[in-house]
Amino acid sequence: MEESVFTKIIKGEIPAYKVYEDEAVVAFLDIMPETAGHVLVVPKVQVDKFYELADEDYVALWRAVKKVAAGMERAFGARTLVKVIGTDVPHAHVHLMPLDETWEHGRKVEMTAEEMAGVAEKIRVAPIDLA
């Protein structure tokens, strides 16, 4: 399987606004967000579908989803929408989005690099310093 854009982010070949990282999972802001704070939670092992993950990677993915969603709710004071779509990138991942009164399905939000960095800092949860 060819390396996905997510694998390239995990390897540090493509920059990303990371909000969480551990040995098995990384979470970063979506560059085409439906809402400010739209995060992708991605296992470090590349498989096309989340149900193809080994059990330990599957559990690690959902444990990270729980941590990041809690961080997002603290940061934004809003419920968090969880979506598993599986059509845009052939690498298992989960979308997390803070919900507010303006959210609508399919909407895209334009954000500057400074806004993205600010949102990432607001959401960021430990642990992340693996370097």
Side-chain angles (χ1 to χ4, degrees), residues 42-99:
V42 181
K44 289 186 175 177
V45 60
Q46 181 177 331
V47 298
D48 187 14
K49 301 166 191 88
F50 75 94
Y51 51 83
E52 295 173 337
L53 289 165
D55 289 348
E56 59 273 8
D57 293 318
Y58 179 86
V59 169
L61 174 66
W62 288 100
R63 184 175 293 124
V65 165
K66 181 178 178 180
K67 288 178 183 178
V68 174
M72 290 172 66
E73 289 194 15
R74 276 193 309 277
F76 295 103
R79 295 179 62 89
T80 300
L81 174 67
V82 178
K83 295 194 316 185
V84 179
I85 302 170
T87 59
D88 47 350
V89 176
H91 189 137
H93 60 286
V94 177
H95 294 256
L96 297 176
M97 288 174 265
L99 293 176

Side-chain angles (χ1 to χ4, degrees), residues 97-116:
M97 288 174 265
L99 293 176
D100 63 21
E101 64 282 349
T102 66
W103 181 84
E104 60 184 74
H105 177 71
R107 175 183 75 172
K108 298 293 182 227
V109 176
E110 297 284 328
M111 296 180 69
T112 66
E114 293 80 19
E115 289 169 329
M116 294 283 278

